[in-house]
Amino acid sequence: MGERVAGLLSGTSVDAIDVAVADLRLDGDEVVLTPLGALELAYPGDLREDLLAALPPATTTAEALTRLDTRVGQAFADAAQRALDRFGPADLVASLGQTVFHWVEDGHALGTLQLGQPAWIAERTGLPVVADLRVRDIAAGGHGAPLASTLDRLWLRDLAESSGKPAVALNIGGIANITVVRPDGETTAFDTGPGNALLDLAAARTTGKPRDENGALAAKGRVDEDLLRRLLAEPYYAAPPPKSTGKELFHSAYLDEFLPHTEPEDLLATLTELTARTVADACRGAGTVVASGGGVENPALMRALAANLDARLVASDELGLPRAAKEAYLTALLGWLTWHGVPANVPSATGARASRLLGSVTPGAGPLALPAPHPVAVTRLRVAVPRREE
């Protein structure tokens, strides 16, 4: 008998709130994850614009962050309730929140801030909420990211073993990150650099639109090789993993010196190639790259990625997890592991000193009663097909 868990997050692109409901149960040392449904919900009103206005390099205030923390929490609470109304009841909620700052100095993560006060979610749904999932890993010397490595290591282990080559999980959000699972189970993970972040900023600055829909402008442009060389000189790309980054580095001011001198189509084509090149360089030697996230919906980016990769490229849908909802299902898994007393970070991926239980638990409407800690190490994850109602 498993639990039904609702997973919530909003990615670094601040595009929307992703929520997914999963059934999770243990079968020996294997987690069986059954996807039950997912939604992508727009932030209400002007909340997205207010969040973007608070991101680096902009300055903000304690008052603004407090207001945003409440408003995001309320929006997440409404999203969770809509998912429960649509897909049925759950036993708990897990929330990764909305990252607004990731503090990294000299290659070391020192702090991270996710908005979306979980008390609002608990109050709205009546369910316990596992949240604040990154900071314990950081306190243990890690980067608090990419936490996708937790799901990927369990999920892709069989694929790597059967092929004899590393299997790579790639998520292209605002920032792109990968998890490399080797045939012996050794796992590393890190942020490769910008995914959609610079593309969306360039589209907004040059066209007034939030993104280059379907990569249409990039497809019309030509890669400026001189500009690409300058962009690739960014020291982050050469830094060894574990490492993490965000919009505190790849923000609007980062593009300012390039904007007046490059045609919009050529700028977007060059930034598309930048993402594809940096991702492909990080995936060298892989047998299969399993892609998910919003960037998979950009045909120009996927063509550039396929041209640069020396591996088979597939969408995560082919392995059972919808590409648009994979991170929400990851969040559900992280919360479920914490609920069962199972450490949920991968030290070789995040750089933490050792495995740690992640997150904090906010009680729901009733007394907090966690199950007994699971006594068996979890080594694999299987995605199951949900049974159809007769």
Side-chain angles (χ1 to χ4, degrees), residues 1 22-23 32 43 60 80 86 97 111 118 127 150 155 162-163 174 186 213 215 273 289 341 344 347 350 355 376 380:
M1 186 71 177
D23 180 271
V32 181
Y43 270 118
T60 189
R86 174 81 174 270
L127 299 175
T150 303
W155 183 41
S162 62
S163 69
E186 183 184 350
E213 290 293 341
E273 184 67 15
V289 175
T350 66
S355 299
V376 178
R380 282 172 167 76

Side-chain angles (χ1 to χ4, degrees), residues 326-337:
K326 182 189 168 223
E327 296 248 301
Y329 284 115
L330 158 70
T331 308
L333 173 67
L334 294 173
W336 182 85
L337 290 170

